[in-house]
Amino acid sequence: NALTCLHRFPYTGINFLVVESCWRHLPKTCSSPPCGPLLPGALAGCAAVVACYPLEVVRTRCMADRGSPQRLAANLRRMLQQESLIGMYRGVDMALLVTVPSVSISFGVYRLLCDRLSELPPSAAAFLSGGAAGVAGSTLTYPMDVVRRRLQVMGMNPDLPKRCCRREATHIWRTEGPPGFFRGLAPEVVKVFPTVAVTFMTFEWLRAHLLTGR
């Protein structure tokens, strides 16, 4: 849980910072249909993934290797020594392929739903819009996320085969079929809705109070 918080803090902050900067400095571009509203989230996803990916890899490996918990610094040092910088960014291409559309969809859907739910109290609108947006972004990109997580644990055990994105996806298809790409989707949705809903609601509350001074 500590590693998750350590990763999510800068990751979420970078996402909101980039999105808000895009809407503030490029309002015409971001509001131009059909792809304009998706641009801020796409840029935010790229920046957040590149900046925080080593933390994401360590977090995933610690979750997979429950028998030998280690500190963050020790894991990062070991990974850098054994696998170099390449190991720290193994699967980053798949992470970008998953995260960019996911974050882009989430922020795009959030803004659209907020406009539709403008009659509700601001906190309720942000909560419902954020939760639905998070579920939409996560569900639509979940098959790619399954491949990404499997790539991240490659290298932590010499016995685990190392495959590229395409070969790992082919392996899942041949051994598990289509259901293999959606393994764990139900608990993911249960987790994502309240997490993203609270995140957007908190952000809107902080923005309103910080900007207005109330």
Side-chain angles (χ1 to χ4, degrees):
N1 187 47
L3 281 175
T4 298
C5 293
L6 187 61
H7 168 262
R8 298 306 296 184
F9 183 85
Y11 178 85
T12 305
I14 291 172
N15 272 314
F16 279 104
L17 174 64
V18 174
V19 167
E20 287 298 304
S21 297
C22 287
W23 279 104
R24 179 174 300 178
H25 299 291
L26 301 170
K28 293 184 178 180
T29 302
C30 294
S31 59
S32 301
C35 298
L38 300 176
L39 178 62
L43 295 176
C46 288
V49 167
V50 172
C52 304
Y53 193 72
L55 291 174
E56 169 70 10
V57 174
V58 171
R59 183 178 71 92
T60 301
R61 292 190 178 189
C62 287
M63 293 172 62
D65 190 18
R66 298 178 181 178
S68 56
Q70 295 187 10
R71 294 182 177 179
L72 172 63
N75 275 290
L76 284 172
R77 191 183 312 111
R78 183 183 63 177
M79 186 166 57
L80 186 60
Q81 292 174 348
Q82 296 179 356
E83 305 174 51
S84 72
L85 191 63
I86 296 176
M88 299 180 71
Y89 279 89
R90 176 176 285 112
V92 69
D93 53 346
M94 196 64 191
L96 288 169
L97 187 62
V98 173
T99 304
V100 170
S102 178
V103 176
S104 181
I105 292 170
S106 294
F107 277 99
V109 171
Y110 173 77
R111 201 171 187 89
L112 175 64
L113 291 179
C114 274
D115 292 339
R116 298 290 180 86
L117 301 177
S118 57
E119 295 181 358
L120 294 177
S123 296
F127 184 87
L128 294 175
S129 300
V135 170
S138 180
T139 302
L140 292 174
T141 58
Y142 194 77
M144 294 183 291
D145 195 42
V146 170
V147 177
R148 175 184 68 89
R149 292 180 187 275
R150 295 200 180 195
L151 290 176
Q152 287 180 342
V153 299
M154 294 177 186
M156 65 180 294
N157 188 331
D159 297 330
L160 293 175
K162 296 181 176 65
R163 306 184 185 93
C164 64
C165 298
R166 181 179 60 82
R167 290 185 178 180
E168 182 61 25
T170 302
H171 174 73
I172 296 174
W173 179 269
R174 289 177 177 175
T175 57
E176 303 178 47
F181 290 98
F182 291 93
R183 187 182 301 277
L185 177 59
E188 177 72 9
V189 170
V190 172
K191 179 195 74 172
V192 165
F193 185 92
T195 301
V196 181
V198 171
T199 299
F200 273 101
M201 184 179 67
T202 303
F203 171 76
E204 294 293 353
W205 185 88
L206 288 173
R207 180 170 64 172
H209 284 70
L210 289 176
L211 291 179
T212 62
R214 292 180 295 176

